[in-house]
């Protein structure tokens, strides 16, 4: 799963993942959206933007840890 408020970054990350034969479960543009999508899709790993408006990456990561504890979170 990709979580980033910048649409261009989400697009580039999606292309990179697909090029490497990863299956993208979901993409979110806010921390709140990421929480709902994580519960629905149970991703194995999450690429998470650290600096987002509203719910920042650190708070999003903390909440994701409780919702999908086995997911690997990669923050940037």
């Amino acid at each position: 799963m990709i979580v980033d408020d910048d649409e261009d970054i989400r697009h580039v990350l999606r292309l990179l993942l697909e090029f490497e034969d990863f299956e993208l479960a979901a993409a979110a543009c806010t921390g709140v959206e990421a929480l709902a999508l994580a519960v629905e899709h149970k991703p194995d790993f999450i690429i998470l933007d650290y600096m987002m408006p509203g719910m920042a990456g650190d708070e999003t990561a903390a909440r994701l840890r409780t919702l999908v504890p086995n997911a690997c979170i990669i923050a940037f």
Side-chain angles (χ1 to χ4, degrees):
M1 184 166 94
I2 298 168
V3 184
D4 198 301
D5 61 313
D6 187 309
E7 183 177 354
D8 292 334
I9 298 295
R10 287 193 314 273
H11 179 73
V12 168
L13 289 171
R14 177 188 301 264
L15 290 175
L16 287 170
L17 291 172
E18 289 173 352
F19 181 77
E20 294 295 330
D21 292 327
F22 285 96
E23 181 181 331
L24 182 62
C29 60
T30 67
V32 172
E33 183 180 12
L35 300 177
L37 289 172
V39 168
E40 180 180 347
H41 295 283
K42 304 281 192 246
D44 294 325
F45 70 94
I46 302 164
I47 300 174
L48 176 63
D49 183 10
Y50 188 77
M51 297 181 65
M52 294 185 296
M55 187 186 308
D58 57 344
E59 182 180 352
T60 303
R63 292 183 184 199
L64 285 168
R65 283 267 171 249
T66 64
L67 297 173
V68 284
N70 294 326
C72 177
I73 300 174
I74 303 163
F76 74 100

